[in-house]
Amino acid sequence: MGFPLTSGLATGDRNLRSELHTTPERAYEENQALIERFHGKNGLRYAVTPRFALAASEALLEVSGALLRAHPDLHFQTHLNENPHEIEAVARLFPAARDYLDVYDRFGLVGPRAVFAHDVHPNPRELERLAAADAWVAHCPSSNAFLGSGLFPMRTHLTAGARFALGSDVGAGTRFSLLGEAMDAYKTQRVREDGVNLSAAALLWLATRAGAAALAQGDEAGGLESGMSADLVWLRPLPNSTLEAVLKHAESAEHAMGALFALAREAEVAAVWIRGRLVFERSMLQAK
């Protein structure tokens, strides 16, 4: 059955600690070896992953494009428009590019299998291009807040038709759990002047269906329809907890779902199934 995972070797050849530097030639060889070994096997999918434009020379980005051309079913992931200082630095490194997104676009890296983390400070042209390319943004609210990068402009993405799902970016974010990320997305939108008032149903969609679609798995995961992959998390409120009391008196499914996002955390995860296979189970004794 395998374990569904989309990942890849993060590469950079400048502006990182020296021991993390690679060369374009080495990056191509190592990526190619990993693709041949893992991509499309036992649920694994490979993502070409230059660290971000600040850490990648034109030669390294050209290698990334060459890998995607050689293997059209690969994925691509990197960072985009995280904070103003980063955007200014990228503009200095790539003076011929129109903007941050254009740095990647010039090497054929912007498409429906591309996921760009953050995009907190996009310009209108970038949003239009993201929408036209059917690319995806991974909205990482706890990371953006922790670093002070800014508040994600969700409404401008929606207006432009630029697609986004939830992410965690644990390098700077504070958790893996999308329950917490969803709540941070809700809260940061509440404090933006043009923020989107996210319902519990919208948060559920961003954490499930949208995430599956961003990884080109929208027809096989992220929902409960017949034929979908049985990737499930059972949330069980702790005995005598606030969550237990709220769920007991929930007036609607929407109310109950909102309570899960607001109050449930890792301790409430009672069991996890991946592709129908039980991979984690917590006993009631452990939950107490």
Side-chain angles (χ1 to χ4, degrees):
M1 296 291 289
F3 186 92
L5 175 69
T6 302
S7 186
L9 175 67
T11 56
D13 60 352
R14 61 180 174 184
N15 293 328
L16 298 172
R17 292 174 61 93
S18 60
E19 59 266 33
L20 298 177
H21 285 178
T22 186
T23 65
E25 296 79 12
R26 178 182 167 193
Y28 186 88
E29 293 172 0
E30 291 181 342
N31 271 281
Q32 186 64 40
L34 291 169
I35 292 165
E36 293 174 0
R37 181 176 178 183
F38 294 111
H39 184 58
K41 299 174 183 178
N42 296 318
L44 301 176
R45 306 176 193 219
Y46 198 80
V48 176
T49 311
R51 175 67 180 80
F52 59 168
L54 280 180
S57 67
E58 292 196 355
L60 187 62
L61 293 176
E62 177 55 44
V63 162
S64 299
L67 289 164
L68 293 180
R69 290 190 296 273
H71 307 276
D73 61 339
L74 292 181
H75 300 261
F76 176 79
Q77 62 174 338
T78 192
H79 283 203
L80 176 68
N81 290 327
E82 186 169 5
N83 64 71
H85 295 300
E86 176 188 317
I87 295 169
E88 293 168 4
V90 168
R92 290 193 296 270
L93 287 174
F94 298 91
R98 289 174 287 182
D99 45 46
Y100 200 153
L101 183 66
D102 194 46
V103 172
Y104 301 123
D105 214 1
R106 291 163 64 229
F107 297 95
L109 305 176
V110 181
R113 287 177 173 264
V115 178
F116 297 95
H118 308 304
D119 204 33
V120 180
H121 303 281
N123 64 43
R125 194 209 72 83
E126 290 173 309
L127 289 170
E128 180 181 355
R129 176 59 185 143
L130 285 168
D134 287 330
W136 284 86
V137 169
H139 171 33
C140 308
S142 73
S143 173
N144 300 154
F146 185 80
L147 293 177
S149 299
L151 303 176
F152 181 66
M154 187 175 292
R155 191 171 299 280
T156 57
H157 280 75
L158 289 170
T159 300
R163 306 188 297 179
F164 57 91
L166 281 178
S168 63
D169 188 39
V170 170
T174 56
R175 66 179 73 83
F176 284 107
S177 171
L178 290 188
L179 291 168
E181 291 299 317
M183 276 309 299
D184 279 355
Y186 174 85
K187 289 183 285 189
T188 55
Q189 288 305 301
R190 295 289 286 176
V191 298
R192 269 195 71 107
E193 186 174 344
D194 64 345
V196 177
N197 190 11
L198 293 165
S199 66
L203 295 177
L204 179 63
W205 187 86
L206 286 172
T208 56
R209 180 77 76 180
L215 297 176
Q217 298 178 40
D219 60 347
E220 61 186 86
L224 297 176
E225 296 88 344
S226 176
M228 287 284 194
S229 179
D231 303 323
L232 307 169
V233 176
W234 173 22
L235 297 174
R236 180 177 58 203
L238 296 176
N240 303 313
S241 64
T242 301
L243 177 59
E244 182 182 60
V246 173
L247 290 178
K248 186 178 297 184
H249 299 285
E251 299 172 353
S252 65
E254 179 83 4
H255 185 192
M257 183 61 64
L260 290 174
F261 278 114
L263 299 171
R265 291 298 178 263
E266 287 86 345
E268 276 80 25
V269 175
V272 178
W273 292 263
I274 295 177
R275 295 190 169 185
R277 179 167 54 93
L278 182 66
V279 297
F280 172 80
E281 186 173 17
R282 191 194 309 271
S283 70
M284 287 296 293
L285 186 61
Q286 289 175 305
K288 293 180 180 179

